[in-house]
Amino acid sequence: MKDYLNKLITIKFSDRKNRESGFLIDFSTDWILLKNNPVDFIIDGYKIVRNKNIEAIYHEEKEKFTEKVLRLKELGPNQTEKIPLENIVEIFKHINKKFGIFQFYRKSEKAIYPGRVREINSKKITIDWIDLKGNWTEERSFKLDKIRVIEFENDYIKSLKLVADSSSLQ
């Protein structure tokens, strides 16, 4: 994994169709931090991926070309942001404190769960859910061991937070 630090990689999983792509920023036994490359030559926030069921990691011609373009656009990694990757509880606490909002999904990417931490322990997280219109609506609880990917600082959730913050000022 060290060989891929600060390089653009694509991760293929044995149990899901979707792949994850981005600059490898950091990793631990259980988690991988990527500067997210969702498509083409775009960087949009960060992803923390559970290091589970990984079939392969690629840094081949496609990734090398995309990396070159992103670096020319000055969208490469920088080492200013450190996220504690020791365990999921500390990850969520840090992101919640620093950014105030995140989203996560489980094995399937068909549903995302955006919000902020209300309560967390070693088994489950309870979030304040934010809806599609930027309203904090309800509490929802999830088992931590089912969470596969955590995203933060992307355009979608930053936009929802902006709307929520502006509504609270009125």
Side-chain angles (χ1 to χ4, degrees):
M1 201 58 113
K2 284 184 182 179
D3 293 342
Y4 296 123
L5 276 173
N6 297 314
K7 294 181 180 172
L8 190 86
I9 60 171
T10 299
I11 302 171
K12 179 181 177 186
F13 298 90
S14 60
D15 64 340
R16 19 187 291 233
K17 189 169 65 172
N18 294 342
R19 298 174 180 208
E20 303 293 347
S21 184
F23 284 99
L24 177 64
I25 304 297
D26 199 5
F27 63 94
S28 69
T29 306
D30 298 322
W31 298 95
I32 297 169
L33 173 61
L34 299 173
K35 190 168 186 180
N36 189 28
N37 170 231
V39 65
D40 298 327
F41 308 115
I42 295 171
I43 292 294
D44 190 18
Y46 296 87
K47 277 190 180 186
I48 300 176
V49 180
R50 191 180 292 267
N51 193 355
K52 180 179 181 181
N53 300 320
I54 293 176
E55 186 174 300
I57 296 176
Y58 301 101
H59 180 70
E60 296 176 349
E61 207 56 44
K62 178 184 179 293
E63 289 81 12
K64 289 176 182 176
F65 181 74
T66 300
E67 178 180 333
K68 179 179 180 178
V69 172
L70 291 170
R71 287 187 189 280
L72 288 169
K73 292 171 67 176
E74 298 181 358
L75 296 174
N78 58 32
Q79 298 304 88
T80 59
E81 187 57 49
K82 285 291 184 185
I83 305 293
L85 297 177
E86 296 85 41
N87 66 66
I88 193 168
V89 173
E90 293 306 312
I91 290 170
F92 273 120
K93 284 181 178 179
H94 178 84
I95 293 170
N96 196 68
K97 182 178 179 183
K98 177 103 177 155
F99 303 102
I101 193 168
F102 51 80
Q103 67 186 22
F104 61 84
Y105 47 92
R106 298 180 282 188
K107 181 178 169 183
S108 168
E109 291 183 25
K110 292 179 181 172
I112 62 167
Y113 306 97
R116 60 185 175 200
V117 174
R118 175 169 285 275
E119 293 177 37
I120 191 166
N121 62 42
S122 62
K123 299 284 185 211
K124 75 174 187 172
I125 184 171
T126 301
I127 65 169
D128 290 325
W129 180 272
I130 192 167
D131 70 14
L132 300 176
K133 294 189 178 189
N135 299 307
W136 298 106
T137 59
E138 62 184 288
E139 289 181 27
R140 296 186 72 181
S141 295
F142 302 89
K143 292 181 179 178
L144 288 175
D145 64 348
K146 300 294 183 189
I147 296 172
R148 295 286 291 272
V149 176
I150 304 164
E151 296 181 348
F152 60 100
E153 275 294 284
N154 65 31
D155 185 66
Y156 180 73
I157 57 175
K158 285 182 359 183
S159 298
L160 289 179
K161 186 174 186 303
L162 277 173
V163 172
D165 289 350
S166 73
S167 296
S168 68
L169 297 174
Q170 296 175 357

